[in-house]
Amino acid sequence: MQKVLVIGCPGAGKSTFARRLRDRTGLPLYYLDRLWHKPDRTNVTREAFDRGLAQWLAQPAWIIDGDYSRTLPQRLEACDTVFFLDYPLEACLAGVENRRGVQRPDMPWVEEELDAEFLQYILDFGQEQLPAIRAMLEPYRGRRKIITFHSRAEADNYLNALAVTLRPYRPEDCPALAHLFYETVHTVNAAHYSPAQLDAWAPACGPDLAAWDKSFRAHRTLVAELDGRLAGFGDLDPAAGYLDRLYVHKDLQGRGVATALCNALEEAAAGPVVTHASVTARPFFARRGYRVLRAQQVERRGVTLANYVMEKAQTGDL
C-alpha cells in the first residue's frame, strides 16, 4: 500500500480517515479540496487543478483524499489501493453538520453554513454519483485492492488493526496460544454455546500441544501482539485455502486484531478462502465478504456444536 485513494460522499469522514491512515502509515497526504478551492472561495482553473494532480500522481507514494469524479479514472490507473467510504445518507449528513464552524486542514476556509446547493448534492449522491463511482471501480476489482466500508465502525476497526503487530508463529508460543484459546472460547463464545458445548470445544485439559504445533508449522500461522501483549493468533492452510483457527484475547476484542490477522492470512491464499465459523464469529466473517455455504452440526467429544462453512472469493475487494 503505497498509492492510496480515499473516496466517498461528503460528510463520510474521508479526510479524517485519510489523516488517521497517514498517521499509521507515514504516507504523504494530499487533499483535492485544497487543490481546487482558493481561500477566497473561488476555484483554480481546470488546467491548474490537473497540473497539480499530475505532480502528486508522479510521486512514489501518496494518499489522495477526495472524489472529483472527472479525474477518478486517472487516479484509479495510478493507485494500488482504494478506500471507499460507502455510508448511509444519514451518517454523511450528520458528518457535515458536525464539522460546521470547525477549522479543517482539508479546506482553506471554515464552513459556517451548509449552502442549499451542497446539501442537494449530498441528498442526490446515492442516486446520481454513487452508481457512477461503482461503475468506475468495477473494472479495477482484482487489479487494485478496493476496501469498502459501510460504517464508521468498520473503518475504525481497520485503522485499529494497523496498530497490531503480526509475527510468524514460533514453537514456544504453543502453550500460550492454547491458554488464549481456552479463555476466549469460554468467555467470548459463551453467549452462543452451552457450558457443555464449551467444554467439548475447549476442555480444561487443553489441546494436544504436539499436534497443534505440528499443524501450526505446516500452515501459515501468525501471532498478533498489541501494546506488547499477546493479542491473538490465526492459521491458514495456503494449499487448501482453509482458514483453520482465529482467536483473539478475551480482553482485546474489537481492537482490530482479527481484522489484522485475516488481512494477512487471506493474502497467502491463491484462491477462495474457506472457514468453519462459529455462531459467534459468523457476523465478523460476513462483514468481510464471506458467504455461508451451509450450516452444519459437528461433534466434539460426544457433544454436538453448530457452525457454518463460509467462503470468500479473492477478488481484491475486502
Side-chain angles (χ1 to χ4, degrees), residues 274-306:
V274 174
T275 192
H276 293 182
S278 68
V279 176
T280 314
R282 177 183 172 179
F284 168 78
F285 285 109
R287 289 193 297 271
R288 292 189 61 83
Y290 286 74
R291 63 188 181 94
V292 175
L293 299 182
R294 64 181 182 275
Q296 64 180 8
Q297 300 287 325
V298 297
E299 185 177 312
R300 295 286 185 271
R301 298 174 177 83
V303 178
T304 301
L305 297 87

mmCIF file of all heavy atoms in Angstrom, residues 274-306:
data_model
loop_
_atom_site.group_PDB
_atom_site.id
_atom_site.type_symbol
_atom_site.label_atom_id
_atom_site.label_comp_id
_atom_site.label_asym_id
_atom_site.label_seq_id
_atom_site.Cartn_x
_atom_site.Cartn_y
_atom_site.Cartn_z
ATOM 1 N N VAL A 274 -11.874 -20.634 2.686
ATOM 2 C CA VAL A 274 -12.990 -21.293 3.368
ATOM 3 C C VAL A 274 -12.670 -21.362 4.855
ATOM 4 O O VAL A 274 -11.514 -21.577 5.247
ATOM 5 C CB VAL A 274 -13.224 -22.706 2.803
ATOM 6 C CG1 VAL A 274 -14.290 -23.445 3.608
ATOM 7 C CG2 VAL A 274 -13.632 -22.630 1.342
ATOM 8 N N THR A 275 -13.683 -21.174 5.676
ATOM 9 C CA THR A 275 -13.508 -21.342 7.118
ATOM 10 C C THR A 275 -14.768 -21.963 7.699
ATOM 11 O O THR A 275 -15.840 -21.909 7.079
ATOM 12 C CB THR A 275 -13.208 -20.001 7.795
ATOM 13 O OG1 THR A 275 -12.769 -20.223 9.135
ATOM 14 C CG2 THR A 275 -14.436 -19.089 7.814
ATOM 15 N N HIS A 276 -14.637 -22.561 8.880
ATOM 16 C CA HIS A 276 -15.784 -23.061 9.633
ATOM 17 C C HIS A 276 -16.003 -22.081 10.781
ATOM 18 O O HIS A 276 -15.260 -22.096 11.761
ATOM 19 C CB HIS A 276 -15.530 -24.476 10.144
ATOM 20 C CG HIS A 276 -15.429 -25.489 9.050
ATOM 21 N ND1 HIS A 276 -15.241 -26.840 9.293
ATOM 22 C CD2 HIS A 276 -15.505 -25.374 7.697
ATOM 23 C CE1 HIS A 276 -15.205 -27.495 8.141
ATOM 24 N NE2 HIS A 276 -15.354 -26.623 7.164
ATOM 25 N N ALA A 277 -16.987 -21.223 10.621
ATOM 26 C CA ALA A 277 -17.204 -20.120 11.560
ATOM 27 C C ALA A 277 -18.208 -20.506 12.636
ATOM 28 O O ALA A 277 -19.267 -21.079 12.344
ATOM 29 C CB ALA A 277 -17.703 -18.886 10.815
ATOM 30 N N SER A 278 -17.887 -20.166 13.850
ATOM 31 C CA SER A 278 -18.826 -20.378 14.942
ATOM 32 C C SER A 278 -20.016 -19.434 14.794
ATOM 33 O O SER A 278 -19.987 -18.475 14.001
ATOM 34 C CB SER A 278 -18.135 -20.142 16.286
ATOM 35 O OG SER A 278 -17.812 -18.763 16.424
ATOM 36 N N VAL A 279 -21.060 -19.683 15.577
ATOM 37 C CA VAL A 279 -22.202 -18.769 15.593
ATOM 38 C C VAL A 279 -21.730 -17.372 15.982
ATOM 39 O O VAL A 279 -22.178 -16.362 15.432
ATOM 40 C CB VAL A 279 -23.282 -19.285 16.563
ATOM 41 C CG1 VAL A 279 -24.438 -18.303 16.661
ATOM 42 C CG2 VAL A 279 -23.772 -20.659 16.141
ATOM 43 N N THR A 280 -20.793 -17.309 16.914
ATOM 44 C CA THR A 280 -20.264 -16.022 17.370
ATOM 45 C C THR A 280 -19.512 -15.302 16.271
ATOM 46 O O THR A 280 -19.642 -14.079 16.108
ATOM 47 C CB THR A 280 -19.322 -16.246 18.570
ATOM 48 O OG1 THR A 280 -19.931 -17.144 19.508
ATOM 49 C CG2 THR A 280 -18.993 -14.940 19.256
ATOM 50 N N ALA A 281 -18.726 -16.044 15.508
ATOM 51 C CA ALA A 281 -17.848 -15.422 14.511
ATOM 52 C C ALA A 281 -18.526 -15.162 13.178
ATOM 53 O O ALA A 281 -17.990 -14.404 12.360
ATOM 54 C CB ALA A 281 -16.621 -16.312 14.286
ATOM 55 N N ARG A 282 -19.668 -15.757 12.954
ATOM 56 C CA ARG A 282 -20.307 -15.610 11.642
ATOM 57 C C ARG A 282 -20.482 -14.141 11.213
ATOM 58 O O ARG A 282 -20.170 -13.806 10.060
ATOM 59 C CB ARG A 282 -21.660 -16.333 11.635
ATOM 60 C CG ARG A 282 -22.428 -16.157 10.328
ATOM 61 C CD ARG A 282 -23.798 -16.819 10.373
ATOM 62 N NE ARG A 282 -24.579 -16.475 9.188
ATOM 63 C CZ ARG A 282 -25.798 -16.915 8.946
ATOM 64 N NH1 ARG A 282 -26.377 -17.741 9.784
ATOM 65 N NH2 ARG A 282 -26.443 -16.545 7.862
ATOM 66 N N PRO A 283 -20.966 -13.233 12.056
ATOM 67 C CA PRO A 283 -21.130 -11.842 11.599
ATOM 68 C C PRO A 283 -19.813 -11.191 11.187
ATOM 69 O O PRO A 283 -19.780 -10.406 10.231
ATOM 70 C CB PRO A 283 -21.748 -11.140 12.817
ATOM 71 C CG PRO A 283 -22.401 -12.228 13.590
ATOM 72 C CD PRO A 283 -21.522 -13.429 13.412
ATOM 73 N N PHE A 284 -18.731 -11.498 11.887
ATOM 74 C CA PHE A 284 -17.422 -10.934 11.523
ATOM 75 C C PHE A 284 -17.029 -11.372 10.117
ATOM 76 O O PHE A 284 -16.627 -10.544 9.289
ATOM 77 C CB PHE A 284 -16.364 -11.383 12.534
ATOM 78 C CG PHE A 284 -14.950 -11.103 12.094
ATOM 79 C CD1 PHE A 284 -14.411 -9.832 12.187
ATOM 80 C CD2 PHE A 284 -14.154 -12.124 11.560
ATOM 81 C CE1 PHE A 284 -13.116 -9.572 11.762
ATOM 82 C CE2 PHE A 284 -12.862 -11.874 11.142
ATOM 83 C CZ PHE A 284 -12.341 -10.589 11.240
ATOM 84 N N PHE A 285 -17.155 -12.654 9.834
ATOM 85 C CA PHE A 285 -16.770 -13.143 8.513
ATOM 86 C C PHE A 285 -17.720 -12.615 7.436
ATOM 87 O O PHE A 285 -17.296 -12.314 6.316
ATOM 88 C CB PHE A 285 -16.710 -14.665 8.506
ATOM 89 C CG PHE A 285 -15.509 -15.222 9.200
ATOM 90 C CD1 PHE A 285 -15.620 -15.874 10.421
ATOM 91 C CD2 PHE A 285 -14.247 -15.085 8.643
ATOM 92 C CE1 PHE A 285 -14.502 -16.386 11.061
ATOM 93 C CE2 PHE A 285 -13.118 -15.595 9.277
ATOM 94 C CZ PHE A 285 -13.245 -16.240 10.491
ATOM 95 N N ALA A 286 -18.986 -12.487 7.761
ATOM 96 C CA ALA A 286 -19.937 -11.947 6.783
ATOM 97 C C ALA A 286 -19.564 -10.520 6.401
ATOM 98 O O ALA A 286 -19.652 -10.141 5.225
ATOM 99 C CB ALA A 286 -21.351 -12.009 7.352
ATOM 100 N N ARG A 287 -19.139 -9.725 7.378
ATOM 101 C CA ARG A 287 -18.728 -8.348 7.074
ATOM 102 C C ARG A 287 -17.507 -8.320 6.172
ATOM 103 O O ARG A 287 -17.292 -7.339 5.449
ATOM 104 C CB ARG A 287 -18.450 -7.583 8.377
ATOM 105 C CG ARG A 287 -19.688 -7.259 9.191
ATOM 106 C CD ARG A 287 -19.391 -6.241 10.275
ATOM 107 N NE ARG A 287 -18.438 -6.712 11.245
ATOM 108 C CZ ARG A 287 -18.761 -7.377 12.344
ATOM 109 N NH1 ARG A 287 -20.021 -7.661 12.602
ATOM 110 N NH2 ARG A 287 -17.835 -7.768 13.206
ATOM 111 N N ARG A 288 -16.712 -9.366 6.201
ATOM 112 C CA ARG A 288 -15.520 -9.422 5.358
ATOM 113 C C ARG A 288 -15.818 -9.999 3.968
ATOM 114 O O ARG A 288 -14.898 -10.175 3.172
ATOM 115 C CB ARG A 288 -14.430 -10.265 6.030
ATOM 116 C CG ARG A 288 -13.861 -9.637 7.277
ATOM 117 C CD ARG A 288 -12.642 -10.415 7.765
ATOM 118 N NE ARG A 288 -11.571 -10.419 6.783
ATOM 119 C CZ ARG A 288 -10.681 -9.433 6.615
ATOM 120 N NH1 ARG A 288 -10.759 -8.342 7.360
ATOM 121 N NH2 ARG A 288 -9.731 -9.533 5.698
ATOM 122 N N GLY A 289 -17.069 -10.279 3.695
ATOM 123 C CA GLY A 289 -17.424 -10.761 2.371
ATOM 124 C C GLY A 289 -17.533 -12.267 2.249
ATOM 125 O O GLY A 289 -17.682 -12.791 1.139
ATOM 126 N N TYR A 290 -17.480 -12.981 3.364
ATOM 127 C CA TYR A 290 -17.686 -14.432 3.321
ATOM 128 C C TYR A 290 -19.188 -14.726 3.200
ATOM 129 O O TYR A 290 -20.017 -14.042 3.800
ATOM 130 C CB TYR A 290 -17.170 -15.093 4.601
ATOM 131 C CG TYR A 290 -15.670 -15.190 4.711
ATOM 132 C CD1 TYR A 290 -14.897 -14.068 4.997
ATOM 133 C CD2 TYR A 290 -15.022 -16.406 4.557
ATOM 134 C CE1 TYR A 290 -13.517 -14.147 5.108
ATOM 135 C CE2 TYR A 290 -13.646 -16.512 4.673
ATOM 136 C CZ TYR A 290 -12.899 -15.367 4.948
ATOM 137 O OH TYR A 290 -11.523 -15.461 5.063
ATOM 138 N N ARG A 291 -19.513 -15.759 2.438
ATOM 139 C CA ARG A 291 -20.906 -16.188 2.324
ATOM 140 C C ARG A 291 -21.051 -17.585 2.922
ATOM 141 O O ARG A 291 -20.112 -18.397 2.890
ATOM 142 C CB ARG A 291 -21.364 -16.194 0.865
ATOM 143 C CG ARG A 291 -20.625 -17.171 -0.025
ATOM 144 C CD ARG A 291 -20.991 -16.986 -1.494
ATOM 145 N NE ARG A 291 -20.299 -17.953 -2.332
ATOM 146 C CZ ARG A 291 -20.803 -19.115 -2.696
ATOM 147 N NH1 ARG A 291 -22.016 -19.460 -2.288
ATOM 148 N NH2 ARG A 291 -20.120 -19.936 -3.471
ATOM 149 N N VAL A 292 -22.220 -17.840 3.451
ATOM 150 C CA VAL A 292 -22.480 -19.147 4.062
ATOM 151 C C VAL A 292 -22.748 -20.168 2.965
ATOM 152 O O VAL A 292 -23.661 -20.006 2.148
ATOM 153 C CB VAL A 292 -23.683 -19.076 5.011
ATOM 154 C CG1 VAL A 292 -24.032 -20.472 5.544
ATOM 155 C CG2 VAL A 292 -23.385 -18.131 6.181
ATOM 156 N N LEU A 293 -21.941 -21.212 2.944
ATOM 157 C CA LEU A 293 -22.183 -22.327 2.024
ATOM 158 C C LEU A 293 -23.198 -23.288 2.615
ATOM 159 O O LEU A 293 -24.068 -23.804 1.913
ATOM 160 C CB LEU A 293 -20.879 -23.063 1.721
ATOM 161 C CG LEU A 293 -19.774 -22.244 1.040
ATOM 162 C CD1 LEU A 293 -18.562 -23.129 0.770
ATOM 163 C CD2 LEU A 293 -20.264 -21.613 -0.253
ATOM 164 N N ARG A 294 -23.076 -23.515 3.925
ATOM 165 C CA ARG A 294 -24.043 -24.392 4.592
ATOM 166 C C ARG A 294 -23.860 -24.284 6.105
ATOM 167 O O ARG A 294 -22.770 -23.986 6.593
ATOM 168 C CB ARG A 294 -23.884 -25.841 4.160
ATOM 169 C CG ARG A 294 -22.575 -26.476 4.537
ATOM 170 C CD ARG A 294 -22.456 -27.924 4.049
ATOM 171 N NE ARG A 294 -21.210 -28.546 4.470
ATOM 172 C CZ ARG A 294 -20.064 -28.426 3.816
ATOM 173 N NH1 ARG A 294 -19.994 -27.699 2.706
ATOM 174 N NH2 ARG A 294 -18.964 -29.034 4.266
ATOM 175 N N ALA A 295 -24.938 -24.528 6.813
ATOM 176 C CA ALA A 295 -24.870 -24.706 8.264
ATOM 177 C C ALA A 295 -24.613 -26.176 8.544
ATOM 178 O O ALA A 295 -25.017 -27.051 7.769
ATOM 179 C CB ALA A 295 -26.166 -24.253 8.915
ATOM 180 N N GLN A 296 -23.929 -26.451 9.640
ATOM 181 C CA GLN A 296 -23.642 -27.843 9.947
ATOM 182 C C GLN A 296 -23.593 -28.065 11.456
ATOM 183 O O GLN A 296 -23.440 -27.116 12.232
ATOM 184 C CB GLN A 296 -22.324 -28.279 9.297
ATOM 185 C CG GLN A 296 -21.097 -27.558 9.798
ATOM 186 C CD GLN A 296 -19.814 -28.024 9.121
ATOM 187 O OE1 GLN A 296 -19.823 -28.787 8.157
ATOM 188 N NE2 GLN A 296 -18.676 -27.569 9.627
ATOM 189 N N GLN A 297 -23.706 -29.322 11.829
ATOM 190 C CA GLN A 297 -23.558 -29.747 13.205
ATOM 191 C C GLN A 297 -22.306 -30.616 13.281
ATOM 192 O O GLN A 297 -22.183 -31.589 12.533
ATOM 193 C CB GLN A 297 -24.785 -30.540 13.665
ATOM 194 C CG GLN A 297 -26.093 -29.776 13.601
ATOM 195 C CD GLN A 297 -26.194 -28.725 14.676
ATOM 196 O OE1 GLN A 297 -25.710 -28.923 15.796
ATOM 197 N NE2 GLN A 297 -26.833 -27.601 14.358
ATOM 198 N N VAL A 298 -21.375 -30.267 14.148
ATOM 199 C CA VAL A 298 -20.148 -31.041 14.288
ATOM 200 C C VAL A 298 -20.101 -31.635 15.693
ATOM 201 O O VAL A 298 -20.640 -31.066 16.641
ATOM 202 C CB VAL A 298 -18.893 -30.172 14.026
ATOM 203 C CG1 VAL A 298 -18.891 -29.656 12.598
ATOM 204 C CG2 VAL A 298 -18.818 -28.996 15.000
ATOM 205 N N GLU A 299 -19.438 -32.759 15.794
ATOM 206 C CA GLU A 299 -19.369 -33.439 17.082
ATOM 207 C C GLU A 299 -17.976 -33.262 17.683
ATOM 208 O O GLU A 299 -16.953 -33.449 17.012
ATOM 209 C CB GLU A 299 -19.668 -34.926 16.931
ATOM 210 C CG GLU A 299 -19.718 -35.665 18.267
ATOM 211 C CD GLU A 299 -20.095 -37.121 18.098
ATOM 212 O OE1 GLU A 299 -21.073 -37.387 17.388
ATOM 213 O OE2 GLU A 299 -19.389 -37.985 18.678
ATOM 214 N N ARG A 300 -17.941 -32.853 18.923
ATOM 215 C CA ARG A 300 -16.707 -32.732 19.679
ATOM 216 C C ARG A 300 -16.892 -33.465 21.005
ATOM 217 O O ARG A 300 -17.743 -33.073 21.811
ATOM 218 C CB ARG A 300 -16.365 -31.250 19.960
ATOM 219 C CG ARG A 300 -16.068 -30.432 18.714
ATOM 220 C CD ARG A 300 -14.712 -30.767 18.149
ATOM 221 N NE ARG A 300 -14.368 -29.895 17.027
ATOM 222 C CZ ARG A 300 -14.680 -30.144 15.765
ATOM 223 N NH1 ARG A 300 -15.369 -31.236 15.459
ATOM 224 N NH2 ARG A 300 -14.333 -29.312 14.805
ATOM 225 N N ARG A 301 -16.129 -34.553 21.177
ATOM 226 C CA ARG A 301 -16.178 -35.319 22.434
ATOM 227 C C ARG A 301 -17.604 -35.721 22.800
ATOM 228 O O ARG A 301 -18.025 -35.608 23.953
ATOM 229 C CB ARG A 301 -15.509 -34.536 23.564
ATOM 230 C CG ARG A 301 -14.026 -34.271 23.302
ATOM 231 C CD ARG A 301 -13.383 -33.362 24.351
ATOM 232 N NE ARG A 301 -11.962 -33.217 24.069
ATOM 233 C CZ ARG A 301 -11.453 -32.339 23.188
ATOM 234 N NH1 ARG A 301 -12.280 -31.543 22.519
ATOM 235 N NH2 ARG A 301 -10.151 -32.268 22.975
ATOM 236 N N GLY A 302 -18.343 -36.160 21.794
ATOM 237 C CA GLY A 302 -19.694 -36.645 22.015
ATOM 238 C C GLY A 302 -20.744 -35.563 22.145
ATOM 239 O O GLY A 302 -21.917 -35.866 22.392
ATOM 240 N N VAL A 303 -20.351 -34.295 21.959
ATOM 241 C CA VAL A 303 -21.288 -33.173 22.068
ATOM 242 C C VAL A 303 -21.405 -32.500 20.703
ATOM 243 O O VAL A 303 -20.407 -32.309 20.002
ATOM 244 C CB VAL A 303 -20.807 -32.154 23.122
ATOM 245 C CG1 VAL A 303 -21.769 -30.966 23.203
ATOM 246 C CG2 VAL A 303 -20.671 -32.832 24.483
ATOM 247 N N THR A 304 -22.617 -32.122 20.321
ATOM 248 C CA THR A 304 -22.855 -31.505 19.019
ATOM 249 C C THR A 304 -22.814 -29.980 19.134
ATOM 250 O O THR A 304 -23.418 -29.399 20.042
ATOM 251 C CB THR A 304 -24.217 -31.933 18.457
ATOM 252 O OG1 THR A 304 -24.241 -33.354 18.326
ATOM 253 C CG2 THR A 304 -24.462 -31.313 17.093
ATOM 254 N N LEU A 305 -22.099 -29.347 18.189
ATOM 255 C CA LEU A 305 -21.989 -27.883 18.132
ATOM 256 C C LEU A 305 -22.358 -27.418 16.731
ATOM 257 O O LEU A 305 -22.033 -28.074 15.732
ATOM 258 C CB LEU A 305 -20.570 -27.403 18.452
ATOM 259 C CG LEU A 305 -19.991 -27.673 19.832
ATOM 260 C CD1 LEU A 305 -19.338 -29.035 19.892
ATOM 261 C CD2 LEU A 305 -18.969 -26.597 20.193
ATOM 262 N N ALA A 306 -23.021 -26.280 16.651
ATOM 263 C CA ALA A 306 -23.384 -25.701 15.355
ATOM 264 C C ALA A 306 -22.294 -24.751 14.881
ATOM 265 O O ALA A 306 -21.707 -24.009 15.670
ATOM 266 C CB ALA A 306 -24.701 -24.948 15.478
#
